Amino acid sequence: MMGLYCDGASVRLRRDLPEVAARDGEAVLRVRAVGVCDTDLQLARGYMGFRGVIGHEFVGVDERGERWVAEINNACRRCPTCLAGRPSHCPTRTVLGIVAHDGAMAERVAVPRENLHAVPDAVSDEEAVFVEPLAAAFQILEQVKVAPGDDVAVLGDGKLGLLSAWVLRTAAAHVTLIGRHAHKLALAGGAIAQRLAGDVSGLARGFDVVVDATGSPSGLAAAIGLCRPRGTVVLKTTVAAEHALSLAPVVIDELTLVGSRCGPFPKAIDALARKVIDVRPLLAARYPLAEAEAAFAYASQKGVAKVVLDVG
Ligand SMILES: [Zn+2]
Ligand SMILES: [Zn+2]
């Protein structure tokens, strides 16, 4: 079958991939569309040494034509961590298209049945590929109590920054998105205040909650600098780079630091179905799977939002 294969150093389209083999408890889906995310771009450069089909933000159909999205952490469901209700932290988990499990940039993909969530008719394929990253944004609200009157800032005008800003706006009236590109900030729409990163002088340490979604090692220090004493800093950035920052302000100002990763699919699906969040401004381009290498080249350019591969 055809798919985009990562050999641990680069990606290339292959038409000779073996047919997917479902492991125990897995369903095989025909992929309809799959999004290119920054993690994919990092994997394609050799980050984490992953070998296999990449892709984890997808919508597919089963043999009856029902549409599904799938959570990406494939947990054992038996260990103490899983039994304690934390399967996304299972120590022996594989991760779809990221760790030891083939992903969805192929004609077909196998995923654990327990990870599947049905896609309602009100959610299009191009919206459904955003469920996984939107769920990751909703994880912030699972972890941090955000009150309607809270002043919230999101650092980073990339895809996760915008998704996080939209999600936080469902909980708080005042959300400020801070980024380096006016045209990307503008995608956030009128309900989100927008500031260029070089222009944060008037924003001195006032925010109750600050989210770092910069994807840059300098983001955390900037987030700490904008958070009020006893406020909360949420880390959504997973950069493959070392941090060099002083944590003294965290102690002196008694900040709470929260690491945040994957989140609740039902909340993301519901927000899309009820049109609470419109992700379509983030869609930059669509390519057929056969042009996946060109799609990656385009997605790698600075300032490009979501690139989607159409598969079937
Ligand atoms: Zn992703
Ligand atoms: Zn487990």
Side-chain angles (χ1 to χ4, degrees):
M1 82 176 169
M2 181 163 61
L4 193 66
Y5 185 83
C6 181
D7 64 8
S10 62
V11 288
R12 74 195 154 90
L13 188 76
R14 284 177 50 177
R15 293 169 192 277
D16 62 345
L17 290 172
E19 189 50 55
V20 287
R23 302 179 196 183
D24 245 7
E26 288 189 336
V28 174
L29 300 178
R30 212 153 41 71
V31 179
R32 283 170 69 99
V34 51
V36 179
C37 116
D38 292 348
T39 301
D40 298 318
L41 300 176
Q42 291 198 44
L43 290 170
R45 290 194 293 263
Y47 165 65
M48 297 176 75
F50 175 69
R51 282 162 204 279
V53 174
I54 64 173
H56 57 275
E57 303 176 356
F58 81 102
V59 54
V61 285
D62 63 17
E63 62 285 345
R64 292 175 311 166
E66 308 271 5
R67 293 188 305 147
W68 303 90
V69 288
E71 294 182 47
I72 67 174
N73 296 287
N74 307 323
C76 78
R77 311 260 169 198
R78 288 187 298 272
C79 72
T81 302
C82 285
L83 295 177
R86 295 187 292 272
S88 65
H89 291 278
C90 172
T92 60
R93 71 188 182 275
T94 65
V95 186
L96 188 73
I98 298 175
V99 180
H101 195 294
D102 277 333
M105 289 188 185
E107 292 171 279
R108 282 167 291 282
V109 63
V111 288
R113 288 182 194 283
E114 301 210 45
N115 285 10
L116 293 175
H117 296 267
V119 179
D121 291 343
V123 178
S124 68
D125 284 351
E126 67 182 27
E127 291 173 304
V129 300
F130 285 93
V131 168
E132 196 276 332
L134 184 59
F138 267 104
Q139 180 68 2
I140 298 168
L141 296 183
E142 300 290 299
Q143 296 173 286
V144 180
K145 210 169 159 38
V146 177
D150 280 352
D151 215 352
V152 177
V154 177
L155 303 188
D157 52 18
K159 298 174 279 287
L160 193 52
L162 272 95
L163 293 172
S164 297
W166 289 331
V167 164
L168 285 158
R169 185 64 181 78
T170 68
H174 296 288
V175 176
T176 303
L177 181 66
I178 301 166
R180 298 190 180 282
H181 315 88
H183 71 281
K184 292 166 80 176
L185 289 171
L187 297 177
I192 307 283
Q194 298 149 27
R195 295 290 288 261
L196 280 164
D199 175 33
V200 292
S201 45
L203 302 175
R205 308 224 61 179
F207 292 98
D208 302 293
V209 177
V210 184
V211 176
D212 169 27
T214 57
S216 144
S218 61
L220 177 55
I224 288 171
L226 290 171
C227 191
R228 68 157 167 82
R230 293 199 180 155
T232 300
V233 173
V234 182
L235 286 72
K236 292 302 287 187
T237 287
T238 48
V239 274
E242 300 285 321
H243 287 279
L245 81 164
S246 166
L247 291 174
V250 177
V251 177
I252 294 164
D253 293 319
E254 299 186 323
L255 304 183
T256 300
L257 296 187
V258 178
S260 178
R261 183 169 44 96
C262 297
F265 270 46
K267 295 209 168 141
I269 293 168
D270 183 62
L272 292 172
R274 291 193 296 116
K275 312 298 176 195
V276 173
I277 292 177
D278 182 3
V279 292
R280 290 171 301 176
L282 280 179
L283 187 69
R286 301 174 73 150
Y287 287 76
L289 177 62
E291 293 171 24
E293 290 174 12
F296 263 62
Y298 180 60
S300 306
Q301 291 176 25
K302 280 220 175 306
V304 171
K306 183 65 78 188
V307 173
V308 170
L309 298 174
D310 289 308
V311 182

